[in-house]
Amino acid sequence: QKRSNKPPPQVLCQMSSLGYLNQKYLGKFHEAIDYTSTHSTRPVQDYDRVSKNKPSLQNQLRIVWPTVDEIRNSVEGYYGGGSVCGKKKNVSLEFLQPLYRRWSNVAYDPLQTARHVPHIKSFVQPSHDGRSIEWLCLTSHNLSIAAWGQVQRRSKNLPPDEKILFVRHWELGVFFSADTLARSDGNKVRIVPLADYEHDSN
């Protein structure tokens, strides 16, 4: 695929449960799934490597997470909030706040997503022009270290570069590449703009 000089499109992470995260882990997570860096990144072996001139998380990721108003105004009402699991200490981490985007876009909601509380989990990286995607993963993974795994040393008795990816909760998903989408009816793809949290009272 032809490389672009433009900054890579942000990865959009949408899930119904949010575990405890830290900035390093989220940055390494992005590096492992960003299509512009996967050709030169070894997520396990290079986990401790410090990346130079790396953009901020705000320029790399968006987390799609429903607001209180969206849950309250859904068909399910507050009961629907039972399918969105996020401890306050996890959701309220300061570095996550600029990354949040609403589940629905009030100004443009052709799929009427605002009607229901989400339990779906989807991770996608749009194309540079915003008209298609580079990849999409529809999965059972929530955004947590337990689901996506953590790089660890295999044993204290082994050299530091001997590392493994330890996954606590095994999940299952379906991956769609841009080529797969092109073989389907790609003309039916609709990219819905994300709305900021600031448009909501909660």
Side-chain angles (χ1 to χ4, degrees), residues 131-132 180-190:
R131 300 175 61 185
S132 186
T180 303
L181 184 64
R183 290 196 296 269
S184 65
D185 192 352
N187 293 327
K188 292 184 178 180
V189 175
R190 288 182 289 182

Side-chain angles (χ1 to χ4, degrees), residues 72-142:
R72 178 173 58 243
N73 296 328
S74 69
V75 172
E76 298 87 358
Y78 278 127
Y79 287 107
S83 67
V84 181
C85 307
K87 294 182 178 179
K88 185 175 182 180
K89 66 176 184 178
N90 297 342
V91 177
S92 301
L93 289 170
E94 184 176 352
F95 77 92
L96 292 178
Q97 304 311 304
L99 310 183
Y100 286 126
R101 292 298 181 270
R102 294 169 51 97
W103 161 242
S104 61
N105 188 331
V106 177
Y108 181 67
D109 190 18
L111 304 179
Q112 296 187 331
T113 57
R115 287 174 52 83
H116 298 283
V117 177
H119 193 62
I120 192 174
K121 294 91 173 168
S122 55
F123 298 78
V124 62
Q125 190 165 24
S127 59
H128 277 97
D129 61 12
R131 300 175 61 185
S132 186
I133 64 168
E134 298 298 339
W135 58 266
L136 163 70
C137 185
L138 185 63
T139 181
S140 63
H141 292 75
N142 284 301

Side-chain angles (χ1 to χ4, degrees), residues 24-42:
K24 177 182 178 180
Y25 181 87
L26 203 53
K28 291 294 184 179
F29 172 76
H30 172 269
E31 193 174 273
I33 62 177
D34 169 29
Y35 85 96
T36 64
S37 63
T38 51
H39 70 284
S40 60
T41 300
R42 300 181 303 167

